[in-house]
Amino acid sequence: MRILAKLHVGFFLAAAVLAASQGLAADTVQTKTVEVQVDKIATGLEHPWAVEVLPDGSYLVTERPGRLRIIRDGKLSGPIAGVPKVSARGQGGLMDVALAPDFATSRKIFLTAAIRAKGGSGTEAFSATLSKDGTRLDDVKSIFAMKRFTGGNIQYGSRIAFARDGSLFISIGDRGDRDRSQDWKDDAGSIIHINADGSIPDDNPFKDGAKALAEIWSKGHRNPQGIAFDAADGKLYTVEHGARGGDEINEIEPGKNYGWPIITYGRDYSGAEIGEGTAKEGLEQPLYYWDPSIAPGALVIYRGKMFPEWDGNFLVAALKFQLLSRMQRDDGGAFVAEERLFDGSYGRMRDVIVAPDGALLILTDEDDGALLRVSRAPADNG
């Protein structure tokens, strides 16, 4: 799970008041189950990709061109020094940020980015220490890089999820070369599992490296930009881009093959069929797929206190239709209903996380991107 420091609810109430005082007016939106308030905490971000909450209540945000900033009291800091140089081309650039589980004492963070090197570009992950004054990164180390960098600037992935033992799961896209997703000696199109120092965990299914790269946990993924654990049962899920139709939610298990591009519910953008159909023995079926595609970004499974009506719901940020998809499951785990929130109201939604008080934090992926806070609307007492 994306691990957040515990904060006082009062900070978030103060943030909403501050946003209103700065002219960032709040909106009230009636959903199917609850009335919510949407506050713009900050604007002026250039294609923001990921957000985390720091222990003092400020926000750490990545911008795809390669900047890491802190938002405090509604104001953007200058770029934090020491961020690795990224390949900010096409879909590439600075992507996810995640706080170490012990960030409050270690100040350690993790980043994913598209990096250019010999052969082209690829997804790489770094650890670093955020200085106490929040102005620079120290002790920056590469802890993972794709084994093969290639041309093209699409489908890098890439999100980070922490397991309960502090190890990292990182989603890697197929880099626009679909056959790489079925090459077990290639990181493309996979979920990888590494320790915080980049070493290989003992429970990895291919730890000996004989059948597959030792870091690979699962294969057959296209472009997973959402990955999250459910805090209730510890299960790992991804949400990933299909082609034209066929965006998927998958439950991720070690050593399994999720089929891309052999099986898919999507079609090529030309309309041509892809692969061998929608099912094949030995290949996993998605829990859910969208057709038409919504172009999913991040995923979180809601277990917060602010919206008990949404307990266990999957929340998926969507780029194409500029919405937040709220997915309900029945007692057997099947998806039974979808509510599309904020459809077209705020722009392309890239990231969504649950803040410590249960509010949602959403980033809009625009030239003038915003950080939104979605909270329970105040009761109207007449």
Side-chain angles (χ1 to χ4, degrees), residues 249-251 257-258 263 265 278-280 283-287:
I249 297 175
N250 286 298
E251 180 182 339
N257 186 336
Y258 290 81
I263 61 170
Y265 287 89
T278 58
K280 186 175 182 178
L283 303 180
E284 301 303 308
Q285 283 288 303
L287 298 179

Side-chain angles (χ1 to χ4, degrees), residues 155-277:
Q155 292 167 209
Y156 294 91
S158 170
R159 294 280 178 189
I160 300 167
F162 281 106
R164 289 171 175 169
D165 64 1
S167 61
L168 286 73
F169 287 81
I170 303 175
S171 60
I172 310 294
D174 70 0
R175 296 289 288 106
D177 185 350
R178 61 183 61 164
D179 291 338
R180 294 181 68 181
S181 290
Q182 290 298 320
D183 182 349
W184 292 79
K185 294 291 187 176
D186 190 336
D187 294 299
S190 66
I191 305 301
I192 68 153
H193 181 216
I194 58 174
N195 291 317
D197 63 359
S199 61
I200 304 301
D202 289 337
D203 62 347
N204 274 21
F206 310 108
K207 190 176 189 301
D208 63 5
K211 177 184 174 182
L213 294 177
E215 65 268 19
I216 288 177
W217 188 260
S218 63
K219 284 287 284 184
H221 305 282
R222 184 175 182 267
N223 191 25
Q225 290 191 0
I227 182 169
F229 282 96
D230 184 349
D233 59 17
K235 292 182 179 180
L236 182 64
Y237 298 91
T238 61
V239 60
E240 46 197 276
H241 289 262
R244 198 179 79 180
D247 295 345
E248 295 181 353
I249 297 175
N250 286 298
E251 180 182 339
I252 303 303
E253 298 184 45
K256 292 193 174 180
N257 186 336
Y258 290 81
W260 174 258
I262 299 172
I263 61 170
T264 177
Y265 287 89
R267 287 177 172 263
D268 196 277
Y269 295 110
S270 68
E273 293 185 357
I274 298 171
E276 301 175 19

Side-chain angles (χ1 to χ4, degrees), residues 26-111:
D27 297 326
T28 301
V29 178
Q30 181 63 55
T31 75
K32 289 181 179 179
T33 56
V34 62
E35 190 174 49
V36 302
Q37 178 172 304
V38 182
D39 291 281
K40 285 189 177 180
I41 300 300
T43 57
L45 294 158
E46 185 178 0
H47 294 284
W49 224 89
V51 59
E52 286 278 43
V53 184
L54 296 174
D56 66 356
S58 58
Y59 307 96
L60 187 64
V61 178
T62 62
E63 293 175 290
R64 200 176 68 215
R67 293 182 293 272
L68 183 65
R69 298 183 186 271
I70 291 175
I71 299 172
R72 184 177 286 112
D73 298 332
K75 297 178 181 178
L76 301 182
S77 73
I80 294 171
V83 175
K85 184 178 180 181
V86 307
S87 179
R89 304 179 183 184
Q91 297 173 5
L94 185 59
M95 295 179 290
D96 207 9
V97 60
L99 306 184
D102 64 351
F103 175 85
T105 55
S106 71
R107 306 285 295 178
K108 196 168 187 178
I109 69 169
F110 296 86
L111 300 165

Side-chain angles (χ1 to χ4, degrees), residues 141-164:
K141 296 177 181 177
S142 174
I143 59 170
F144 164 80
M146 296 180 70
K147 296 295 187 290
R148 183 160 66 98
F149 281 29
T150 53
N153 303 301
I154 62 173
Q155 292 167 209
Y156 294 91
S158 170
R159 294 280 178 189
I160 300 167
F162 281 106
R164 289 171 175 169

